[in-house]
Amino acid sequence: MTNKNNISQLALDFPHRPSLGRDDFLVAANNQDAVSMVESWPMWPFFAICIYGPSGCGKTHLANVFANNISNLTNYPYRIPFIRAAQLNLENIHELFAQNKCLVVEDLENLQNQEALFHLYNMYRDEGGNILFTSELAPARLNFSLPDLRSRINIVPAVEIKEPDDDLLSALLVKLFSDRQIMPSPELINYLLANMQRSFAYAIKLVAEIDNISLSRKRAVNLNIAKEALASLNDDSQGNLF
């Protein structure tokens, strides 16, 4: 018989819903230009723009702001679609354009079918419409082998979201905890800032790890749990080096 006192309860993987409204987006020096560009629609300088930056920096959040703005300003009866670049193909691009004058294409760095994007680009440019691209890399750094596509993507206005400074990272941690119905103490936030890697992606992983440990231990989030989460992530990082 298993001794229940000798095991920790497994944390159930209940999905949490991040807040993706405009009021929930943390505006700071590292992303102000991207916010301004997205919110300037429909007065964009070109039919398409690209927001690029590291994983977790808020590209999808900004894309949701864009989608919500379109709904509010045009009374769209439905939400404009999001599609990952890897899902584009020569069969679905015509339907996408026919049904949607605005579109979000995410993860441009993972594009598989360059010819499909080339034709989609031309349709929206020539026949009217807008595309918001997101990417981890600047368009000029995407190694597209199709010369005509590369030249077109390179002229799309692109705005970078940079890694966060301490003020933004602190606010981001508070938001990530809040999305999980956790109210962190100032001491906890300060400790995390002093000991964590300085990136959006790491902050997201760290808060998730803290929450999982808290649930498995049936204990409220505290400094000891934070230390355990940091140690766990650091061990994983070291393990991935070998």
Side-chain angles (χ1 to χ4, degrees):
M1 180 179 297
T2 303
N3 187 345
K4 295 183 179 180
N5 293 325
N6 292 333
I7 63 174
S8 298
Q9 178 183 348
L10 293 177
L12 298 179
D13 188 19
F14 291 116
H16 70 283
R17 185 183 299 277
S19 300
L20 295 176
R22 173 61 180 85
D23 291 342
D24 302 302
F25 191 84
L26 306 172
V27 181
N30 75 311
N31 60 28
Q32 178 63 65
D33 290 343
V35 174
S36 296
M37 178 69 81
V38 168
E39 293 194 324
S40 69
W41 185 90
M43 305 303 293
W44 282 359
F46 197 52
F47 83 95
I49 66 170
C50 180
I51 304 300
Y52 70 96
S55 175
C57 72
K59 300 185 295 292
T60 295
H61 194 153
L62 264 185
N64 276 276
V65 172
F66 169 61
N68 291 338
N69 283 349
I70 290 175
S71 296
N72 293 334
L73 294 173
T74 65
N75 295 316
Y76 262 42
Y78 57 88
R79 181 176 175 80
I80 69 169
F82 286 51
I83 186 168
R84 298 192 182 281
Q87 297 173 320
L88 293 174
N89 58 61
L90 293 173
E91 286 71 43
N92 64 18
I93 57 173
H94 296 283
E95 182 177 357
L96 282 170
F97 176 74
Q99 296 182 359
N100 309 282
K101 294 306 180 185
C102 294
L103 182 66
V104 174
V105 177
E106 294 201 278
D107 305 328
L108 197 55
E109 72 280 2
N110 294 326
L111 179 69
Q112 302 296 316
N113 192 322
Q114 296 184 31
E115 186 179 355
L117 180 58
F118 173 77
H119 289 300
L120 184 73
Y121 181 109
N122 287 343
M123 283 189 286
Y124 275 86
R125 181 196 62 184
D126 298 340
E127 301 181 41
N130 295 113
I131 303 177
L132 171 61
F133 294 107
T134 72
S135 174
E136 289 196 8
L137 300 174
R141 295 185 58 197
L142 295 171
N143 296 319
F144 293 149
S145 59
L146 190 63
D148 287 340
L149 175 61
R150 186 168 63 247
S151 64
R152 283 162 170 76
I153 290 296
N154 282 349
I155 65 174
V156 172
V159 186
E160 181 183 12
I161 300 178
K162 299 178 181 178
E163 291 287 11
D165 59 18
D166 277 3
D167 288 341
L168 179 57
L169 197 56
S170 175
L172 175 63
L173 287 169
V174 171
K175 180 190 181 301
L176 291 171
F177 279 118
S178 178
D179 285 344
R180 294 172 177 270
Q181 290 77 52
I182 299 171
M183 296 299 294
S185 68
E187 292 76 16
L188 177 64
I189 296 298
N190 290 336
Y191 178 81
L192 295 177
L193 285 174
N195 292 277
M196 66 182 289
Q197 296 178 19
R198 326 298 290 174
S199 74
F200 293 101
Y202 188 87
I204 293 169
K205 291 180 182 178
L206 177 58
V207 171
E209 184 69 9
I210 290 172
D211 191 21
N212 287 337
I213 294 173
S214 171
L215 290 172
S216 69
R217 301 284 191 274
K218 292 186 176 181
R219 295 172 58 191
V221 170
N222 56 36
L223 282 178
N224 287 334
I225 288 176
K227 292 176 182 178
E228 185 176 347
L230 285 163
S232 175
L233 292 184
N234 290 340
D235 288 344
D236 286 344
S237 296
Q238 289 297 323
N240 289 333
L241 294 177
F242 302 98

